Amino acid sequence: MNGAVGSDGAVGSEVQAGSEASAVPGTGGGCGTAGPSAPTTGASRRAGGSGSEPDGGPFDGGPFDGGPLDGGSPGGGPSIGSGWSVGGRTVADGGAGVRGKQAPPAGRRAAADPVKALMHRHRALCERAVDPLEIAAGLEAHGVTDRTAARFRHRDVFALAEEMYARVPRDGDTPPRPMDAPAPGRRTAWILLALLPGALCAAAVAGLRLTEGRPRLAVTAVGVLAVSLALRAALRRGPLRTTARTTSTWTCWLVGYALLGDGLLRTALAGGPDGLPDGTADGPWPVALAPALALALACAPAAGSAHLFATRARRKLTASRGLADFSASVRPLLLGTFALFMGALTALVALAGAVLGEPARYPEALTLGALLLLARLLAVHGHGHAPTLVLTAAAAAEGAALAALFAGRLPGCGFLAAPVEALVAACGPAGVPTLACGIGAVTLLVHANRRLTRASAHASAERP
């Protein structure tokens, strides 16, 4: 025995059989060793066959430490009554244990639980989740794909999330989250709030048409304040509500340009303006009321489109059995919802132009409406950085066009106004906002097609 052990290199030559065996800790009158064998590593588990566990993909920085699964000692060493593994052989324990009992294979004794290790890394997500869908969305946000879930012996991320949710200890049953049945009073409240900006804007426009002089100035001030407060209330409740930080300053600039920008650009090219805006379309500074009224009325279709997209996407998230399947089913929903809003906005622009007797101004109204809707949808679903950049860029482009036009009046600076003059000559004054908002809307549509088709954009979104 002593020679056999020495040939394996597990025990030094100073260990003797017989009377010297009692000097080795953990042994009795039998054969002793210098100590337990080293804990099995991830590489040895993979080489061991049946005791191996799949790699954790992006999460395995080494072997999982899920603990013993077969009753072995927590430290990976031998338990009382088990044998010692020496050089690939099992030697019976001669102490308090049963002599001659075979120890479980080292791979099984040190086998880890990969799902338990994953739950430990995402403990906060598992504890606060009210259903498996939130866990699936959170895992996807951290880079877990269906291919990664297969390494944990699950067919997709949803199946992995279901096991993680089921294994979280809870004091009682978690009440199911309401899916698509909000309280009737709550839905009625946000519908009324979404209709309020359009109604107040229509009243303000009617007041402008019926008054002159100082009363018209007072009606304008009161109307602008009332519509602003109504928009603020509509965006704080219902489907358009978001906890992300928004860029209301640049949004106000874009809407203000739709109201006053074209008239200012036209008069600036003619050497004006010669006076302040008086609320009419034929004054010294013409005002375009039709696009502003249409955008205010479009607040209700925007809220309805956001509600439709959120609820239908949530249903598809519940029914989907894979991330690719969910993305493929949500992409047509996103495009369909966007097209539905654009159709409603087109009808409102035509209606506002016909009622007010003004040009409908479809290009600038439609591109601005598309830009604002996509920016709000992304912000509602937790992606507010890109909308901030795009809205800022669009507002800066409009401001730069006006500034370049006025700067071109300075001696020797006529070249600054040349690009704007060329654009206006080709497309008219509406070319500036159409180009700025159109490029921004296309950019956000591409971005939304990537971000809003992911499960992580819908699990924790605020439902109306």
Side-chain angles (χ1 to χ4, degrees):
M1 173 63 73
N2 190 26
V5 172
S7 64
D8 290 333
V11 182
S13 60
E14 69 275 24
V15 180
Q16 304 293 328
S19 60
E20 293 181 4
S22 59
V24 183
T27 62
C31 180
T33 66
S37 60
T40 307
T41 63
S44 64
R45 285 206 303 272
R46 287 191 290 271
S50 63
S52 63
E53 291 291 345
D55 293 337
F59 300 99
D60 69 345
F64 290 108
D65 54 352
L69 300 181
D70 57 359
S73 61
S79 58
I80 298 177
S82 64
W84 297 83
S85 178
V86 180
R89 301 190 178 102
T90 302
V91 183
D93 187 358
V98 179
R99 185 182 303 274
K101 180 180 177 181
Q102 297 293 324
R108 282 189 56 199
R109 186 174 66 245
D113 185 353
V115 178
K116 181 178 179 181
L118 186 63
M119 291 177 63
H120 179 73
R121 289 182 173 89
H122 300 280
R123 179 181 302 173
L125 173 65
C126 295
E127 290 177 350
R128 70 169 182 266
V130 297
D131 54 31
L133 300 179
E134 283 198 3
I135 298 180
L139 292 177
E140 188 213 26
H142 285 84
V144 180
T145 62
D146 291 340
R147 185 175 180 180
T148 308
R151 299 180 181 180
F152 292 91
R153 297 177 181 176
H154 287 279
R155 65 180 178 273
D156 50 44
V157 175
F158 292 94
L160 177 60
E162 287 174 355
E163 179 181 349
M164 294 173 66
Y165 179 78
R167 293 174 63 174
V168 174
R170 291 179 174 85
D171 296 335
D173 294 335
T174 303
R177 169 178 287 190
M179 297 296 295
D180 299 324
R186 187 180 179 186
R187 174 177 293 181
T188 302
W190 70 256
I191 291 176
L192 292 177
L193 287 175
L195 293 171
L196 189 58
L200 292 177
C201 186
V205 170
L208 287 175
R209 292 297 181 93
L210 297 176
T211 57
E212 294 181 356
R214 289 183 178 274
R216 175 177 289 179
L217 181 61
V219 168
T220 302
V222 173
V224 169
L225 179 61
V227 173
S228 300
L229 293 177
L231 281 172
R232 182 182 179 88
L235 296 178
R236 285 182 173 270
R237 295 189 62 181
L240 298 178
R241 179 180 181 271
T242 177
T243 56
R245 188 176 181 181
T246 57
T247 55
S248 56
T249 302
W250 302 119
T251 303
C252 292
W253 169 273
L254 293 172
V255 175
Y257 190 96
L259 184 66
L260 301 169
D262 282 0
L264 178 60
L265 194 64
R266 185 181 294 110
T267 56
L269 288 171
D274 300 325
L276 295 176
D278 57 1
T280 62
D282 53 359
W285 185 338
V287 177
L289 295 176
L293 177 59
L295 290 172
L297 292 171
C299 185
S305 299
H307 173 70
L308 176 65
F309 177 68
T311 54
R312 293 295 178 88
R314 185 72 180 183
R315 290 179 186 176
K316 292 183 180 297
L317 180 61
T318 305
S320 297
R321 298 310 308 169
L323 298 179
D325 180 28
F326 174 75
S327 297
S329 62
V330 170
R331 189 170 289 109
L333 174 63
L334 173 63
L335 298 178
T337 303
F338 177 72
L340 182 64
F341 171 77
M342 294 304 295
L345 180 58
T346 302
L348 290 174
V349 172
L351 177 63
V355 170
L356 298 178
E358 297 181 1
R361 303 178 187 271
Y362 291 104
E364 53 187 319
L366 294 180
T367 52
L368 177 56
L371 175 63
L372 295 179
L373 174 71
L374 293 171
R376 198 67 189 183
L377 279 179
L378 285 167
V380 166
H381 291 277
H383 300 283
H385 182 65
T388 300
L389 296 178
V390 172
L391 290 175
T392 303
E398 293 179 348
L402 291 174
L405 199 59
F406 285 103
R409 297 181 179 181
L410 298 175
C413 297
F415 66 93
L416 295 176
V420 180
E421 292 174 351
L423 179 61
V424 173
C427 305
V432 173
T434 300
L435 185 62
C437 296
I439 294 176
V442 171
T443 302
L444 288 186
L445 182 60
V446 173
H447 187 67
N449 196 42
R450 295 178 54 196
R451 296 296 183 181
L452 299 186
T453 56
R454 300 180 62 182
S456 55
H458 302 277
S460 59
E462 185 73 14
R463 280 179 297 279

